[in-house]
Amino acid sequence: MIVVLSKGVSEREKELIGIYLKDRGFGVREQTLGEAGIIGASGKGVADIRELSLLPGVERVAATTKPYELASRETKNEDTIVTVGGGSVPAVKIGGSRITVIAGPCAVESREQILETAAMIRESGAVILRGGAYKPRTSPYSFQGLGIKGLEYMKAAGEACGMPIVTEVVSPELANQMNDLVDMFQIGARNMQNYELLKKVGLMGKPVLLKRGPSATIEEWLLSAEYLMASGTKDVVLCERGIRTFETYTRNTLDISAIPVVKGLSHLPVIVDPSHAVGIRAMVSPAGLAAIAAGADGLTVEVHPRPDEALSDGPQSLFPGQFEKLMRDIEALAPVMGKELLRTPKPRLTIQGGITLPAVSAAADSQAAEQQGAEQKAAGSAGVCETAAYCGEAGAYAEQALTRVFGEGSPRLAVDSFPGIFNAVLEGKAGAGVVPVENSQTGSVHENYDLFLRYPDIAIVGELKLRIVHCLIADERADIDSIRIVRSHPQGFAQCKEFLDKHPDWVLEPSTTTATAVASIARDGALKVAAIAGEAAAKVYGLKVLREGIETNPLNYTRFVIIARKQGDKAAAPPSLGTVKVNKASLVFSVRDEPGSLFACLRILSEKGLNLSKLESRPIQGKPWEYLFYVDVSIPENAEDFHSVMDELKTKTRDFYFLGEYRASL
Ligand code: PEP
Ligand code: MN
């Protein structure tokens, strides 16, 4: 049973609640979870819940039906997001709307091996380095790990590459010694039920990656998480790594169904280790992708620069090229799951064209980001403001896009028009803006393309494609038969036409944005009104999703660009666009009114091998029958002379605007 304490509860009130419970036969433990203080009452005691609810300092009493309480979703409904690292390495989040990939060798074998692996996995986009220094091997004659030396090598590699590290702790005695060197403890599958180890590691206050035992039921696994949490850590990440079944072809059997089951039972993030689950290199990537598709918050993957020479688990370790491919596939799959692959946060770096991207912040915890934002604001225009602006209200699709780029809890500013985003960035109220430019069904948002021409000091520094999944949202007490009126942005109606056609009696009322429609229900509380909007908006306003995925075409994406202000010819963009390999540029130009002038421009791009991913013409405002061409081009990996191609192109155009260069979203 869980007693949720009221906000301003006094020490004396807590003491009296404790006495009340103990007198009635309960074991009592106080915890802080999120905002609320909680007293967990365990054991076979008997108490009158109504009487208990009336004690001063008690907000409510939750009689959980599960033997694990702190790990249970009944106790805490919102997803836990675990932060790993911070300090000398960037902080990385696991859970929420990001997919976090941990990678590294099975074991640390030498200083060079771990450094080489760290640099390589970072380049492919992994954000946490793994590796065993103490290896629990089935045979006493197998390589047992380098011990504390190995851990020192690993920490140095993590720091050199700007990545937190996770490593297995095999005994309670080692926990203190390892504490200063690790960012996250791993409890191995063989030790999942080593309760003394769990109690000790739970006390250390570091995040913990808890592997599922090969023969453990989901309930036993969650009870092990409960041990860690009852000892003091809130930050537990569950890791499914295959269980023992009668099947012998693979090393273990990956229990894919455990992912949605655990996500339903617990608020803790769930990741998957496909390497130990299948044990055969060729099957690691398919199993890992299946895990992401099943809703996992990330993966931990064994990668070795030369798997054939690995001292342990070589046959299941990916070659660097295979890992790179897996990361690309995850990046493509993530938007289908409404998520974004969290890429390596890099320290301040200058990319082609001189765009400066300051460190982290997407991954950094929000408090630090807020504080940094405040400091930078205080520092004036020299600093980069960490706030990102979007148009709409909380829960809008644009806000979802913002969260995917900058992270949960990142500072944000809602404005009520598209030019408002550009103004906020220009005036330094926001360091970046999130602007929709195109929908896969309805085409370009011309208003926003035109704004780039009106704001020459703004550049594009990033891009995101957001899958739009529309829901029918209503009051908690409403049901589909009680609905008479549906509100949404006209685009919402257009994109859900087939669904709406099945309900011809519904009256459609247009609203400014989809989120405004949802807000209006929350305000009116009418049982007959529903809204079409994203699930995030339902959460923000505490409403119910009556139907999910009602858009006619499931391949419904909106492309957002991230904008920032230019300083001189550079754009100082805030946070965390992750590893920036620029591979796309956007330009707008007009050509002289003579035969072959557009052809001359396109020929330059073609001869230099630059692929056009978009070409659209738009009337020039105030000049009837004259047109601007909107062009997106891919920048090949080794296109060193890209800017000279642009210079050459400029000579063939009349007006030429370079909107920015950035990493394309898949
Ligand atoms: C590991 O991740 O290094 C490991 C030994 O995994 P498991 O405990 O899942 O076997
Ligand atoms: Mn291994």
Coordinates of all heavy atoms in Angstrom, one line a residue, residues 80-145:
T80 N 9.1 7.4 -16.1 CA 10.4 7.9 -15.5 C 11.4 8.1 -16.6 O 11.6 7.3 -17.5 CB 10.9 6.9 -14.5 OG1 10.0 7.0 -13.4 CG2 12.3 7.2 -14.0
I81 N 12.1 9.2 -16.5 CA 13.2 9.5 -17.4 C 14.5 9.5 -16.6 O 14.6 10.2 -15.6 CB 13.0 10.8 -18.2 CG1 11.8 10.7 -19.1 CG2 14.3 11.1 -19.0 CD1 11.4 11.9 -19.8
V82 N 15.4 8.6 -16.9 CA 16.6 8.4 -16.1 C 17.7 9.2 -16.8 O 17.9 9.1 -18.0 CB 17.0 6.9 -16.0 CG1 18.4 6.7 -15.5 CG2 15.9 6.2 -15.2
T83 N 18.4 10.0 -16.0 CA 19.6 10.8 -16.5 C 20.9 10.1 -16.1 O 21.1 9.8 -14.9 CB 19.5 12.2 -15.9 OG1 18.3 12.8 -16.3 CG2 20.6 13.1 -16.5
V84 N 21.7 9.9 -17.0 CA 23.0 9.2 -16.8 C 24.1 10.2 -17.1 O 24.1 10.8 -18.2 CB 23.2 7.9 -17.6 CG1 24.5 7.2 -17.3 CG2 22.0 7.0 -17.5
G85 N 25.1 10.3 -16.2 CA 26.3 11.2 -16.5 C 26.0 12.6 -16.0 O 25.3 12.8 -15.1
G86 N 26.6 13.6 -16.7 CA 26.6 15.0 -16.2 C 27.9 15.2 -15.6 O 28.7 14.2 -15.4
G87 N 28.3 16.4 -15.3 CA 29.6 16.7 -14.8 C 30.6 16.7 -15.9 O 30.6 17.4 -16.8
S88 N 31.6 15.7 -15.7 CA 32.7 15.8 -16.7 C 32.3 15.2 -18.1 O 33.0 15.4 -19.1 CB 33.9 15.0 -16.2 OG 33.5 13.7 -16.0
V89 N 31.2 14.5 -18.2 CA 30.7 14.1 -19.5 C 29.2 14.6 -19.6 O 28.6 14.8 -18.6 CB 30.7 12.5 -19.6 CG1 32.1 12.0 -19.7 CG2 30.0 11.9 -18.4
P90 N 28.7 14.7 -20.8 CA 27.3 15.1 -21.0 C 26.3 14.2 -20.3 O 26.6 13.0 -20.2 CB 27.1 15.1 -22.5 CG 28.5 15.1 -23.1 CD 29.4 14.4 -22.1
A91 N 25.2 14.8 -19.9 CA 24.2 14.0 -19.3 C 23.3 13.4 -20.4 O 23.0 14.1 -21.4 CB 23.3 14.9 -18.4
V92 N 23.0 12.2 -20.3 CA 22.2 11.5 -21.3 C 20.9 11.0 -20.7 O 20.9 10.4 -19.6 CB 23.0 10.3 -21.9 CG1 22.1 9.5 -22.8 CG2 24.2 10.9 -22.7
K93 N 19.8 11.1 -21.4 CA 18.5 10.7 -20.8 C 18.1 9.4 -21.4 O 18.3 9.1 -22.6 CB 17.4 11.7 -21.0 CG 17.7 12.9 -20.1 CD 16.6 13.9 -20.2 CE 16.9 15.0 -19.2 NZ 16.0 16.1 -19.2
I94 N 17.5 8.5 -20.6 CA 16.9 7.3 -21.1 C 15.4 7.3 -20.8 O 15.0 7.5 -19.6 CB 17.6 6.0 -20.5 CG1 19.1 6.1 -20.7 CG2 17.0 4.8 -21.1 CD1 19.8 4.9 -20.1
G95 N 14.6 7.1 -21.8 CA 13.1 7.1 -21.5 C 12.5 8.3 -22.2 O 13.2 9.2 -22.8
G96 N 11.2 8.4 -22.2 CA 10.5 9.5 -22.9 C 10.5 9.3 -24.4 O 10.3 8.2 -24.9
S97 N 10.7 10.5 -25.1 CA 10.5 10.4 -26.5 C 11.8 10.1 -27.3 O 11.8 10.2 -28.5 CB 9.9 11.7 -27.0 OG 10.8 12.7 -26.8
R98 N 12.8 9.8 -26.6 CA 14.1 9.5 -27.2 C 14.4 8.0 -27.3 O 14.0 7.3 -26.4 CB 15.3 10.2 -26.5 CG 15.1 11.7 -26.3 CD 15.2 12.4 -27.6 NE 15.2 13.8 -27.5 CZ 16.3 14.5 -27.5 NH1 17.5 14.0 -27.5 NH2 16.2 15.8 -27.4
I99 N 15.2 7.6 -28.2 CA 15.8 6.2 -28.2 C 17.2 6.4 -27.9 O 18.0 7.1 -28.6 CB 15.5 5.5 -29.6 CG1 14.0 5.2 -29.7 CG2 16.3 4.2 -29.7 CD1 13.6 4.7 -31.0
T100 N 17.7 5.7 -26.9 CA 19.0 5.9 -26.4 C 19.8 4.6 -26.7 O 19.4 3.5 -26.3 CB 19.0 6.2 -24.9 OG1 18.1 7.2 -24.6 CG2 20.4 6.5 -24.3
V101 N 21.0 4.7 -27.3 CA 21.7 3.5 -27.6 C 23.0 3.5 -26.9 O 23.8 4.5 -26.9 CB 22.0 3.4 -29.2 CG1 22.8 2.1 -29.5 CG2 20.6 3.3 -29.9
I102 N 23.2 2.4 -26.1 CA 24.4 2.2 -25.4 C 25.2 1.1 -26.2 O 24.6 0.2 -26.7 CB 24.1 1.5 -24.0 CG1 23.1 2.4 -23.2 CG2 25.3 1.2 -23.2 CD1 22.6 1.8 -22.0
A103 N 26.5 1.3 -26.4 CA 27.3 0.4 -27.1 C 28.7 0.3 -26.6 O 29.2 1.2 -25.9 CB 27.3 0.7 -28.6
G104 N 29.4 -0.8 -27.0 CA 30.8 -1.0 -26.6 C 31.1 -2.5 -26.6 O 30.2 -3.3 -26.9
P105 N 32.3 -2.8 -26.2 CA 32.7 -4.2 -26.3 C 32.1 -5.0 -25.1 O 31.6 -4.4 -24.1 CB 34.2 -4.2 -26.1 CG 34.4 -2.9 -25.3 CD 33.4 -1.9 -25.7
C106 N 32.1 -6.3 -25.2 CA 31.7 -7.1 -24.1 C 32.6 -6.8 -22.9 O 32.1 -6.4 -21.8 CB 31.8 -8.6 -24.4 SG 31.3 -9.7 -23.1
A107 N 33.9 -6.8 -23.1 CA 34.8 -6.6 -22.0 C 35.8 -5.5 -22.4 O 36.2 -5.4 -23.6 CB 35.5 -7.8 -21.6
V108 N 36.3 -4.7 -21.4 CA 37.5 -3.9 -21.7 C 38.7 -4.8 -21.7 O 38.9 -5.5 -20.8 CB 37.6 -2.9 -20.5 CG1 38.8 -1.9 -20.8 CG2 36.3 -2.1 -20.2
E109 N 39.4 -4.7 -22.9 CA 40.6 -5.6 -23.0 C 41.9 -4.8 -22.9 O 42.9 -5.4 -22.5 CB 40.5 -6.3 -24.4 CG 39.2 -7.1 -24.5 CD 38.9 -7.5 -26.0 OE1 39.7 -7.2 -26.9 OE2 37.9 -8.2 -26.2
S110 N 41.9 -3.6 -23.3 CA 43.1 -2.8 -23.2 C 42.7 -1.3 -23.3 O 41.6 -1.0 -23.7 CB 44.1 -3.1 -24.3 OG 43.6 -2.7 -25.5
R111 N 43.6 -0.4 -22.9 CA 43.4 1.0 -23.1 C 43.0 1.4 -24.5 O 42.1 2.1 -24.8 CB 44.6 1.8 -22.6 CG 44.4 3.3 -22.6 CD 45.8 4.0 -22.6 NE 46.6 3.6 -21.4 CZ 46.6 4.3 -20.2 NH1 45.7 5.2 -20.0 NH2 47.3 3.9 -19.2
E112 N 43.8 0.8 -25.5 CA 43.6 1.2 -26.9 C 42.3 0.7 -27.4 O 41.6 1.3 -28.1 CB 44.8 0.6 -27.7 CG 46.2 1.1 -27.4 CD 46.7 0.7 -26.1 OE1 46.4 -0.4 -25.6 OE2 47.5 1.5 -25.5
Q113 N 42.0 -0.6 -27.0 CA 40.8 -1.2 -27.5 C 39.5 -0.4 -27.1 O 38.6 -0.2 -27.9 CB 40.7 -2.7 -27.0 CG 39.4 -3.4 -27.3 CD 38.5 -3.6 -26.1 OE1 38.8 -3.0 -25.0 NE2 37.5 -4.4 -26.2
I114 N 39.5 0.0 -25.8 CA 38.3 0.7 -25.4 C 38.2 2.1 -26.0 O 37.1 2.6 -26.3 CB 38.1 0.7 -23.8 CG1 36.7 1.1 -23.4 CG2 39.2 1.5 -23.1 CD1 35.6 0.2 -23.7
L115 N 39.3 2.7 -26.1 CA 39.4 4.1 -26.7 C 38.9 4.0 -28.2 O 38.1 4.8 -28.6 CB 40.7 4.7 -26.6 CG 40.8 6.2 -26.9 CD1 40.0 7.0 -25.9 CD2 42.3 6.7 -26.7
E116 N 39.5 3.1 -28.9 CA 39.1 2.9 -30.3 C 37.6 2.6 -30.5 O 37.0 3.2 -31.3 CB 40.0 1.7 -30.9 CG 39.8 1.6 -32.4 CD 40.6 0.3 -32.9 OE1 41.3 -0.3 -32.2 OE2 40.4 0.1 -34.1
T117 N 37.1 1.7 -29.6 CA 35.7 1.4 -29.7 C 34.8 2.6 -29.4 O 33.8 2.9 -30.0 CB 35.3 0.2 -28.8 OG1 36.3 -0.8 -28.9 CG2 34.0 -0.4 -29.1
A118 N 35.2 3.3 -28.3 CA 34.4 4.5 -27.9 C 34.3 5.5 -29.0 O 33.2 6.0 -29.3 CB 35.1 5.1 -26.6
A119 N 35.4 5.8 -29.7 CA 35.4 6.8 -30.7 C 34.5 6.4 -31.9 O 33.8 7.1 -32.4 CB 36.9 7.0 -31.2
M120 N 34.6 5.1 -32.1 CA 33.9 4.5 -33.3 C 32.3 4.5 -33.0 O 31.6 4.9 -33.9 CB 34.4 3.1 -33.5 CG 33.8 2.3 -34.5 SD 34.5 0.7 -34.0 CE 33.1 0.1 -33.1
I121 N 32.0 4.1 -31.8 CA 30.5 4.0 -31.6 C 29.9 5.4 -31.5 O 28.8 5.7 -31.8 CB 30.2 3.1 -30.4 CG1 30.8 3.7 -29.1 CG2 30.5 1.7 -30.6 CD1 30.1 3.5 -27.9
R122 N 30.7 6.3 -31.0 CA 30.3 7.7 -30.8 C 30.0 8.3 -32.2 O 29.0 9.0 -32.5 CB 31.3 8.5 -30.1 CG 31.0 10.0 -29.9 CD 32.2 10.7 -29.4 NE 31.8 11.9 -28.7 CZ 31.6 13.0 -29.4 NH1 31.6 13.1 -30.7 NH2 31.3 14.1 -28.7
E123 N 30.9 8.0 -33.1 CA 30.8 8.5 -34.5 C 29.5 8.0 -35.1 O 28.8 8.7 -35.9 CB 32.0 8.0 -35.3 CG 32.3 8.8 -36.6 CD 32.4 10.3 -36.4 OE1 33.0 10.7 -35.3 OE2 31.9 11.0 -37.2
S124 N 29.1 6.8 -34.8 CA 27.8 6.2 -35.3 C 26.6 6.7 -34.6 O 25.5 6.4 -35.0 CB 27.9 4.7 -35.3 OG 28.9 4.2 -36.1
G125 N 26.8 7.4 -33.4 CA 25.7 8.0 -32.7 C 25.3 7.4 -31.4 O 24.3 7.8 -30.8
A126 N 26.1 6.4 -30.9 CA 25.8 5.9 -29.5 C 26.1 7.0 -28.5 O 26.9 7.9 -28.7 CB 26.7 4.7 -29.2
V127 N 25.4 7.0 -27.4 CA 25.5 8.0 -26.4 C 26.1 7.6 -25.1 O 26.4 8.4 -24.2 CB 24.2 8.8 -26.2 CG1 23.9 9.8 -27.4 CG2 23.0 7.9 -26.1
I128 N 26.1 6.3 -24.8 CA 26.7 5.8 -23.6 C 27.6 4.6 -23.9 O 27.3 3.8 -24.8 CB 25.6 5.3 -22.6 CG1 24.6 6.4 -22.2 CG2 26.2 4.7 -21.3 CD1 23.5 6.0 -21.3
L129 N 28.8 4.6 -23.3 CA 29.7 3.5 -23.5 C 29.6 2.4 -22.5 O 29.5 2.6 -21.3 CB 31.2 4.1 -23.4 CG 32.3 3.2 -23.6 CD1 32.4 2.6 -25.0 CD2 33.7 3.9 -23.2
R130 N 29.5 1.1 -23.0 CA 29.4 0.0 -22.2 C 30.7 -0.8 -22.2 O 31.5 -0.7 -23.2 CB 28.2 -0.9 -22.5 CG 28.2 -1.5 -23.9 CD 27.6 -3.0 -23.9 NE 28.6 -3.9 -23.3 CZ 28.2 -5.0 -22.6 NH1 27.0 -5.2 -22.3 NH2 29.1 -5.8 -22.1
G131 N 30.9 -1.7 -21.3 CA 32.1 -2.6 -21.3 C 32.2 -3.2 -19.9 O 32.0 -2.5 -18.9
G132 N 32.6 -4.5 -19.9 CA 32.8 -5.1 -18.6 C 34.2 -5.1 -18.1 O 35.2 -5.3 -18.9
A133 N 34.4 -4.7 -16.9 CA 35.8 -4.7 -16.3 C 35.8 -5.9 -15.3 O 36.9 -6.5 -15.1 CB 36.0 -3.4 -15.5
Y134 N 34.7 -6.3 -14.7 CA 34.6 -7.5 -13.9 C 33.6 -8.4 -14.7 O 32.4 -8.0 -14.9 CB 34.0 -7.2 -12.6 CG 35.0 -6.3 -11.8 CD1 34.8 -4.9 -11.8 CD2 36.0 -6.8 -11.0 CE1 35.7 -4.1 -11.1 CE2 36.8 -6.0 -10.3 CZ 36.7 -4.6 -10.3 OH 37.5 -3.8 -9.6
K135 N 34.0 -9.5 -15.2 CA 33.2 -10.3 -16.1 C 32.7 -11.6 -15.4 O 33.5 -12.4 -15.0 CB 33.9 -10.8 -17.3 CG 34.3 -9.6 -18.3 CD 33.2 -8.8 -18.8 CE 32.1 -9.6 -19.5 NZ 30.9 -8.7 -19.9
P136 N 31.4 -11.7 -15.2 CA 30.9 -13.0 -14.6 C 30.8 -14.0 -15.7 O 29.9 -14.1 -16.4 CB 29.5 -12.6 -14.1 CG 29.1 -11.4 -14.9 CD 30.3 -10.8 -15.6
R137 N 31.8 -14.9 -15.8 CA 31.9 -15.8 -16.9 C 31.4 -17.2 -16.4 O 31.6 -17.6 -15.3 CB 33.3 -16.0 -17.5 CG 33.9 -14.7 -17.9 CD 33.1 -14.0 -19.0 NE 33.0 -14.7 -20.2 CZ 33.9 -14.9 -21.2 NH1 35.0 -14.3 -21.0 NH2 33.7 -15.6 -22.2
T138 N 30.8 -17.9 -17.3 CA 30.3 -19.2 -17.0 C 31.4 -20.2 -16.6 O 31.3 -21.0 -15.6 CB 29.5 -19.8 -18.1 OG1 28.5 -18.8 -18.5 CG2 28.7 -21.1 -17.8
S139 N 32.5 -20.1 -17.3 CA 33.7 -20.9 -17.0 C 34.7 -20.1 -16.2 O 35.1 -19.0 -16.5 CB 34.3 -21.4 -18.3 OG 35.6 -21.9 -18.0
P140 N 35.2 -20.7 -15.1 CA 36.3 -20.0 -14.3 C 37.6 -19.8 -15.1 O 38.5 -19.1 -14.7 CB 36.5 -20.9 -13.1 CG 36.0 -22.3 -13.5 CD 34.9 -22.1 -14.5
Y141 N 37.7 -20.6 -16.2 CA 38.9 -20.5 -17.0 C 38.9 -19.4 -18.1 O 39.8 -19.1 -18.8 CB 39.3 -21.8 -17.6 CG 39.3 -22.9 -16.6 CD1 38.4 -24.0 -16.6 CD2 40.2 -22.8 -15.5 CE1 38.4 -24.9 -15.6 CE2 40.2 -23.8 -14.5 CZ 39.3 -24.8 -14.6 OH 39.2 -25.8 -13.6
S142 N 37.7 -18.8 -18.3 CA 37.5 -17.8 -19.3 C 38.1 -16.4 -18.8 O 38.2 -16.3 -17.6 CB 36.1 -17.6 -19.7 OG 35.5 -18.8 -20.2
F143 N 38.3 -15.5 -19.7 CA 38.8 -14.2 -19.4 C 37.9 -13.5 -18.4 O 36.7 -13.4 -18.6 CB 38.9 -13.4 -20.7 CG 39.3 -11.9 -20.5 CD1 40.5 -11.5 -19.9 CD2 38.4 -10.9 -20.9 CE1 40.8 -10.2 -19.7 CE2 38.7 -9.6 -20.8 CZ 39.9 -9.2 -20.2
Q144 N 38.4 -13.1 -17.3 CA 37.5 -12.5 -16.2 C 37.5 -11.0 -16.1 O 36.9 -10.5 -15.2 CB 38.1 -13.1 -14.8 CG 38.2 -14.6 -14.7 CD 36.8 -15.2 -14.5 OE1 36.0 -14.9 -13.7 NE2 36.5 -16.2 -15.3
G145 N 38.2 -10.4 -17.1 CA 38.1 -8.9 -17.1 C 39.4 -8.3 -16.4 O 40.1 -9.0 -15.7

